[in-house]
């Protein structure tokens, strides 16, 4: 059971950090703060939102500075906190699963969507550079690809 909770905490921390740099961050921050607040008996949502905002600021600074260790630290902090919350209250696992489902983009059943982050440095790239799991069609006349996100 501990391995399952650790995997769930890891997935939760990854999703949380990904949400920190999206337009949906405000809603995600509120939902995550409420999740943690319920584990502590309620009433601490504002303080938890503040802690999440500090982490978001640290993440943004790390990304701006190319500090991969700093990015990993933010994720590790929330992974540990989620794992502790799940160990203290195993019933919280189902709530966290529902929260993760809400934070994930809509996907087709049975299809996994993975985020891929690439950095291209050095040299000049003349032409199209594509990394994808599946591309149904590429229209190089200016219309873009029609395959949607990378799916595996």
């Amino acid at each position: 059971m501990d391995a399952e909770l650790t995997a769930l905490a890891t997935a939760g921390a990854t999703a949380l950090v990904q949400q920190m740099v999206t337009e949906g961050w405000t809603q995600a921050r509120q939902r995550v703060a409420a999740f943690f607040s319920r584990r502590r008996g309620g009433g601490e949502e504002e303080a938890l939102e503040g802690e999440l905002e500090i982490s978001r600021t640290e993440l943004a600074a790390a990304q701006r500075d190319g500090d991969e260790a700093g990015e990993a630290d933010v994720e590790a902090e929330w992974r540990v906190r989620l794992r502790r919350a799940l160990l203290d209250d195993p019933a919280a696992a189902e709530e966290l699963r529902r929260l993760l489902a809400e934070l994930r983009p809509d996907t087709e059943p049975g299809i996994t969507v993975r985020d891929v982050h690439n950095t291209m440095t050095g040299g000049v790239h003349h032409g199209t550079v594509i990394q994808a799991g599946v591309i149904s069609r590429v229209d190089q006349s200016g219309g873009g690809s029609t395959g949607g996100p990378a799916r595996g």
Side-chain angles (χ1 to χ4, degrees):
M1 183 67 159
D2 188 41
E4 182 182 341
L5 294 180
T6 298
L8 182 57
T10 299
T14 300
L16 174 61
V17 169
Q18 289 173 348
Q19 285 294 313
M20 287 180 177
V21 295
T22 68
E23 291 179 16
W25 169 240
T26 301
Q27 180 181 3
R29 182 190 66 217
Q30 291 169 346
R31 297 279 293 124
V32 171
F35 171 84
F36 279 107
S37 179
R38 282 189 286 282
R39 310 283 77 74
R40 297 181 183 178
E44 298 182 24
E45 288 183 41
E46 190 172 319
L48 286 160
E49 284 189 36
E51 293 172 29
L52 287 160
E53 275 304 313
I54 290 168
S55 291
R56 181 180 191 232
T57 301
E58 291 171 354
L59 178 66
Q63 288 179 338
R64 182 185 61 243
D65 297 340
D67 179 7
E68 291 180 15
E71 292 180 51
D73 287 348
V74 172
E75 186 170 337
E77 174 187 354
W78 290 101
R79 181 178 57 249
V80 168
R81 291 176 78 163
L82 283 167
R83 185 172 179 275
R84 285 183 185 148
L86 293 171
L87 289 172
D88 290 345
D89 180 10
E94 188 55 39
E95 182 182 353
L96 181 57
R97 285 185 188 98
R98 283 192 309 271
L99 176 59
L100 290 175
E102 290 174 21
L103 297 179
R104 273 195 297 261
D106 293 332
T107 59
E108 297 174 34
I111 303 238
T112 303
V113 177
R114 295 182 184 97
D115 289 332
V116 177
H117 303 278
N118 293 314
T119 303
M120 298 178 69
T121 60
V124 177
H125 303 279
H126 299 283
T128 305
V129 177
I130 299 173
Q131 177 177 339
V134 175
I135 299 176
S136 61
R137 184 173 69 85
V138 175
D139 178 0
Q140 291 190 341
S141 65
S145 72
T146 61
R151 296 172 188 255

